[in-house]
């Protein structure tokens, strides 16, 4: 291909065929693509369901422990290829004739899995939904202002599955009519979707098939997260752990008896626990607010630029390269618009689902009146567009930030008589729509680059969402029955459950219940989060690469420093690997990380079963100081 490939657009395939062959195929239409119905197969749906279960388990574990969830889109494409290729290989070896496994089928599997496990996050099983339960209410304190026993709703499979079904599909219909505008007209990159497409394209070559042949290693999830997450994220987490547990909390602890009553329980919000929660909240809100304003600004600016440059003539650096790109883009565009999804269908679907949801949600949450639910659905498409456009530009979905906006708004509107549950439920409605819409557009980008039909992508999204509405609550229920969820001293602390409930109370009560000097410290960290983000944006790239991310720093402030070490070990391994053999690290780091994360996730299933029957694992290791005799 030559060195000129480095100048090609990010949307080019990682390992494309030769230009002569590709150009001829595209020019004469000889490249046969499967019809959209042929891209959705029974074996693909079976693999999607199995991987959906696995990825929901992984997502729940991360949600309930550290609250940091890396993008698993690439891992979904990787494992989809691995399992189907293994399946077809076995059948072929015993004499069965099987249909070829295409990149389009691989993309459909990846889309279905992402739609399924995405609900484990947007469903709020580690955040707003868990904030409603009795344990979180008791952790905050029965005498805490605004924390009422009436605002408690414990998890139950019935209402959780029902709630998921009535809120999870609207995001799919909210922006589907704009897929051509987002992907073709504005040419948004959607980096995760593009990376997944490049990986899938590379798999369906002889060299790429070898790359997918990895093995599962039963190791820690967090080291795998450290391999996937960028170095700056892992270093930011470690810096947050050092700053909070190494300096800030010891400093405040010495003020016990002055700033707050001494001898309080470790989870009393009148003491150190209150500082931990609210300072973490201030960092999260400062970071989220800055990035929300920034992405809205970028969105408006890029939309105006796209309109002004639409008629501009492209710069031709190499005629052969440009001809190839134009031919390939022509095929992609033709494939993407061929199996259209009518706008009237999308609009009708959104209106019908919104009507059903508006009538159903007040039955599940009487505190959230029907007209408040309707108000959510009137503004949600605009917020979904902003989030999807911003994700396309930056690869950063701010669905949780939009959810927090809904939380504060509706808890304040309803007030002290049910505002906590109303705000948390509204948060769930908003998060579900904006998160699902962004995931859909991300997957449309993947489908565009792998020549997959948008209709097959949309259908697989619907199937994956339906699976997720059942699998996500069921896999959460496995954790709920097997482990002590929400215990401050346990493994599954569910850090964001307390944070989201406190936000709802804050929207109603204000700042009067905070410990001494807590508001001042929170304001300091809120401003610091905005200032750090501003510095990251105005400094040159070689400097900003070393400036920490406040959102990542905030996580260990509340839940502890233990996982920060594991993630940092992962980033050190990747750093050394890149220095030794960057090409190999780029090719195999994702596969190794997938093995680490998925291996640990698989072990959760027998571990949970053993815990349900109160059986301890057969092997336990403890490392500590020798006892003095």
């Amino acid at each position: 291909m030559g060195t000129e490939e480095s100048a090609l657009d990010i949307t080019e395939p990682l390992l494309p065929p030769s230009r002569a062959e590709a150009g001829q195929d595209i020019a004469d239409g000889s490249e046969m693509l499967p019809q959209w119905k042929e891209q959705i197969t029974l074996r693909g749906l079976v693999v999607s369901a199995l991987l959906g279960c696995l990825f929901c388990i992984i997502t729940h574990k991360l949600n309930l422990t550290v609250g940091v969830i890396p993008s698993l889109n690439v891992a979904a494409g990787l494992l989809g290829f691995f399992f189907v290729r293994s399946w077809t290989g076995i059948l072929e070896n015993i004499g069965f004739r099987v249909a070829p496994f295409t990149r389009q089928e691989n993309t459909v599997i990846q889309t279905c899995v992402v739609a399924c496990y995405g609900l484990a996050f947007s469903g709020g099983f580690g955040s707003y939904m868990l904030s409603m339960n009795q344990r979180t209410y008791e952790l905050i304190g029965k005498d805490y202002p605004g924390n009422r026993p009436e605002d408690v709703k414990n998890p139950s499979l019935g209402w959780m599955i029902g709630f998921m079904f009535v809120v999870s599909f609207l995001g799919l219909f909210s922006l589907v009519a704009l897929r051509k505008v987002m992907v073709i007209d504005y040419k948004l990159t959607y980096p995760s979707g593009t990376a997944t497409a490049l990986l899938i394209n590379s798999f369906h070559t002889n060299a790429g098939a070898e790359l997918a042949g990895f093995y599962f290693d039963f190791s820690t999830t967090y080291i795998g997260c450290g391999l996937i997450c960028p170095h700056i994220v892992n270093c930011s987490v470690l810096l947050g752990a050092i700053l909070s547990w190494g300096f800030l909390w010891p400093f405040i602890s010495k003020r016990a008896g002055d700033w707050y009553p001494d001898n309080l329980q470790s989870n009393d919000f009148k003491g150190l626990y209150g500082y931990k929660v609210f300072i973490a909240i201030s960092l999260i809100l400062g970071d989220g607010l800055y990035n929300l304003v920034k992405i809205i600004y970028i969105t408006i600016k890029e939309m105006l630029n796209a309109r002004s440059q639409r008629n501009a003539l492209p710069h031709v650096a190499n005629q052969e390269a440009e001809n190839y790109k134009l031919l390939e883009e022509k095929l992609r565009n033709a494939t993407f618009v061929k199996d259209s999804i009518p706008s009237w269908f999308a609009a009708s679907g959104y209106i019908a689902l919104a009507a059903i949801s508006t009538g159903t949600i007040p039955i599940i949450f009487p505190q959230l009146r029907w007209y408040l639910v309707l108000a959510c659905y009137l503004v949600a498409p605009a917020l979904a567009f902003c989030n999807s456009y911003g994700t396309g530009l930056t690869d950063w979905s701010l669905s949780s930030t939009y959810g927090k906006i809904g939380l504060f708004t509706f808890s304040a509107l309803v007030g002290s008589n049910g505002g906590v549950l109303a705000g948390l439920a509204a948060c769930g409605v908003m998060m579900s729509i904006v998160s699902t819409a962004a995931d859909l557009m991300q997957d449309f980008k993947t489908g565009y680059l792998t020549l997959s039909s948008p209709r097959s992508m949309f259908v697989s999204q619907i199937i994956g969402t339906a699976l997720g509405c059942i699998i996500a609550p069921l896999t959460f229920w496995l954790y709920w029955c097997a482990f002590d969820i929400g215990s401050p001293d346990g493994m599954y602390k569910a850090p964001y459950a307390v944070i989201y409930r406190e936000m709802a109370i804050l929207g109603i009560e204000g700042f009067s219940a905070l410990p001494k000097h807590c508001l001042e410290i929170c304001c300091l960290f809120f401003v610091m989060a905005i200032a750090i983000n501003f510095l990251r944006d105005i400094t040159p790239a070689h400097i900003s690469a070393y400036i920490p991310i406040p959102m990542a720093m905030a996580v260990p402030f509340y839940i502890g420093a233990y996982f920060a070490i594991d993630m940092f070990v992962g980033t050190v391994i990747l750093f050394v690997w890149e220095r030794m053999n960057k090409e190999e690290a780029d090719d195999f780091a994702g596969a190794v990380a997938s093995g680490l994360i998925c291996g640990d996730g698989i072990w959760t299933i027998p571990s949970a079963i053993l815990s349900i029957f109160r059986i301890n694992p057969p092997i336990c290791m403890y490392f500590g100081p020798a006892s003095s005799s």
Side-chain angles (χ1 to χ4, degrees):
M1 301 289 287
T3 58
E4 65 194 25
E5 282 305 305
S6 61
L8 293 181
D9 187 80
I10 191 173
T11 58
E12 292 300 306
L14 183 64
L15 296 174
S18 69
R19 285 203 178 106
E21 294 176 357
Q24 181 63 33
D25 286 344
I26 295 170
D28 62 16
S30 61
E31 181 176 344
M32 299 299 295
L33 298 176
Q35 298 296 316
W36 74 269
K37 291 182 180 179
E38 297 172 352
Q39 298 174 21
I40 304 172
T41 63
L42 178 60
R43 68 187 180 191
L45 295 179
V46 172
V47 169
S48 298
L50 293 175
L51 290 179
C53 290
L54 174 61
F55 278 48
C56 279
I57 290 171
I58 294 169
T59 303
H60 286 317
K61 179 171 184 178
L62 293 172
N63 247 334
L64 297 172
T65 51
V66 300
V68 176
I69 304 173
S71 174
L72 301 175
N73 293 29
V74 172
L78 171 69
L79 292 175
F81 177 89
F82 177 78
F83 283 120
V84 176
R85 183 56 64 91
S86 301
W87 180 338
T88 56
I90 292 172
L91 292 178
E92 288 174 348
N93 288 336
I94 60 178
F96 285 94
R97 184 179 179 182
V98 295
F101 181 42
T102 64
R103 70 186 66 195
Q104 289 79 20
E105 184 182 357
N106 201 161
T107 304
V108 165
I109 292 172
Q110 181 267 340
T111 299
C112 194
V113 174
V114 170
C116 180
Y117 91 81
L119 297 188
F121 167 71
S122 63
F125 297 98
S127 56
Y128 65 83
M129 195 176 285
L130 202 59
S131 297
M132 305 174 185
N133 78 327
Q134 183 73 23
R135 164 63 66 82
T136 308
Y137 160 75
E138 293 174 352
L139 279 176
I140 292 178
K142 297 179 180 179
D143 58 344
Y144 191 82
N147 191 36
R148 307 186 314 147
E150 294 84 359
D151 292 323
V152 169
K153 191 174 184 67
N154 287 310
S156 168
L157 279 178
W159 75 259
M160 287 193 301
I161 293 175
F163 181 74
M164 296 293 289
F165 267 105
V166 297
V167 303
S168 298
F169 291 91
L170 281 99
L172 301 180
F173 289 87
S174 61
L175 293 183
V176 68
L178 299 178
R179 70 192 183 283
K180 179 179 177 294
V181 174
M182 307 284 265
V183 175
I184 296 179
D185 295 345
Y186 291 136
K187 300 184 185 300
L188 298 176
T189 56
Y190 289 99
S192 289
T194 298
T196 305
L198 299 182
L199 193 70
I200 290 174
N201 283 335
S202 72
F203 283 164
H204 293 269
T205 64
N206 292 332
E210 296 176 3
L211 186 147
F214 69 97
Y215 61 90
F216 288 120
D217 180 26
F218 289 85
S219 186
T220 64
T221 296
Y222 309 129
I223 293 178
C225 290
L227 284 168
I228 290 179
C229 291
H231 293 306
I232 189 60
V233 171
N234 300 315
C235 293
S236 298
V237 170
L238 182 64
L239 178 61
I242 295 172
L243 180 63
S244 56
W245 294 88
F247 297 98
L248 188 59
W249 304 154
F251 172 80
I252 295 177
S253 297
K254 293 178 181 178
R255 273 69 187 169
D258 180 15
W259 287 14
Y260 58 90
D262 202 354
N263 300 322
L264 294 175
Q265 294 183 357
S266 61
N267 59 350
D268 196 318
F269 272 85
K270 297 184 183 69
L272 181 62
Y273 194 65
Y275 292 94
K276 292 179 182 179
V277 171
F278 284 104
I279 293 175
I281 289 174
S282 65
L283 276 172
I284 292 170
L285 290 180
D287 188 286
L289 179 63
Y290 179 89
N291 282 285
L292 176 62
V293 174
K294 171 187 168 183
I295 288 178
I296 290 175
Y297 168 76
I298 293 174
T299 299
I300 296 172
K301 180 180 177 181
E302 290 297 323
M303 288 176 67
L304 295 175
N305 288 341
R307 288 180 180 178
S308 63
Q309 296 175 3
R310 191 169 297 172
N311 297 323
L313 292 176
H315 174 69
V316 179
N318 180 284
Q319 191 63 45
E320 181 190 0
E322 288 298 322
N323 287 341
Y324 173 73
K325 289 177 65 177
L326 289 173
L327 287 169
E328 190 173 40
E329 185 176 5
K330 181 180 178 181
L331 176 61
R332 285 173 176 163
N333 292 348
T335 304
F336 197 67
V337 300
K338 176 184 175 183
D339 298 320
S340 62
I341 303 167
S343 298
W344 66 263
F345 176 76
S348 301
Y350 186 85
I351 293 171
L353 290 171
I356 294 171
S357 184
T358 300
T360 306
I361 289 180
I363 298 175
I364 303 174
F365 298 103
Q367 298 85 357
L368 191 63
R369 305 292 185 180
W370 69 267
Y371 50 86
L372 296 177
V373 179
L374 181 61
C376 287
Y377 290 133
L378 290 176
V379 301
L383 299 180
F385 175 80
C386 293
N387 189 49
S388 297
Y389 200 105
T391 302
L393 293 172
T394 66
D395 205 33
W396 196 323
S397 175
L398 295 179
S399 58
S400 60
T401 301
Y402 288 104
K404 293 182 185 80
I405 292 173
L407 190 158
F408 281 118
T409 302
F410 288 94
S411 60
L413 284 174
V414 175
S416 58
N417 188 21
V420 171
L421 285 183
L424 292 170
C427 173
V429 173
M430 303 297 287
M431 267 188 70
S432 177
I433 293 176
V434 298
S435 176
T436 305
D439 288 342
L440 177 66
M441 286 299 165
Q442 191 93 260
D443 289 330
F444 272 145
K445 182 68 175 186
T446 303
Y448 172 77
L449 295 174
T450 57
L451 297 175
S452 302
S453 167
R455 190 172 295 180
S456 68
M457 303 291 291
F458 185 68
V459 172
S460 65
Q461 274 273 350
I462 292 178
I463 295 172
T465 301
L467 289 172
C469 289
I470 298 172
I471 292 174
L474 286 177
T475 48
F476 168 76
W477 199 250
L478 180 70
Y479 282 94
W480 182 257
C481 294
F483 304 109
D484 189 14
I485 303 298
S487 171
D489 302 319
M491 178 180 179
Y492 297 99
K493 296 179 175 64
Y496 283 103
V498 169
I499 288 176
Y500 272 70
R501 189 175 183 91
E502 275 292 348
M503 288 180 180
I505 295 173
L506 199 62
I508 300 169
E509 297 293 323
F511 301 101
S512 58
L514 296 182
K516 189 176 181 180
H517 300 304
C518 185
L519 179 59
E520 291 86 343
I521 299 175
C522 287
C523 290
L524 174 64
F525 276 88
F526 180 85
V527 173
M528 186 179 77
I530 294 175
I532 290 174
N533 275 294
F534 184 68
L535 280 176
R536 285 177 56 84
D537 286 337
I538 65 172
T539 53
H542 67 278
I543 297 177
S544 64
Y546 298 97
I547 299 178
I549 301 173
M551 185 76 76
M553 291 176 60
V555 179
F557 268 64
Y558 170 59
I559 65 173
Y562 61 95
F563 75 99
I565 303 298
D566 292 337
M567 292 184 68
F568 188 71
V569 168
T571 209
V572 169
I573 292 172
L574 181 60
F575 180 81
V576 173
W577 194 355
E578 288 173 338
R579 290 294 178 272
M580 294 174 62
N581 191 329
K582 190 175 190 311
E583 183 179 353
E584 183 182 90
D586 291 341
D587 286 342
F588 290 98
V592 173
S594 298
L596 291 169
I597 294 173
C598 295
D600 203 23
I602 291 172
W603 169 244
T604 301
I605 301 174
S607 175
I609 294 173
L610 291 174
S611 296
I612 290 173
F613 291 100
R614 301 294 184 263
I615 300 174
N616 292 323
I619 298 176
C620 180
M621 294 184 182
Y622 172 74
F623 299 92
S627 58
S628 57
S629 56

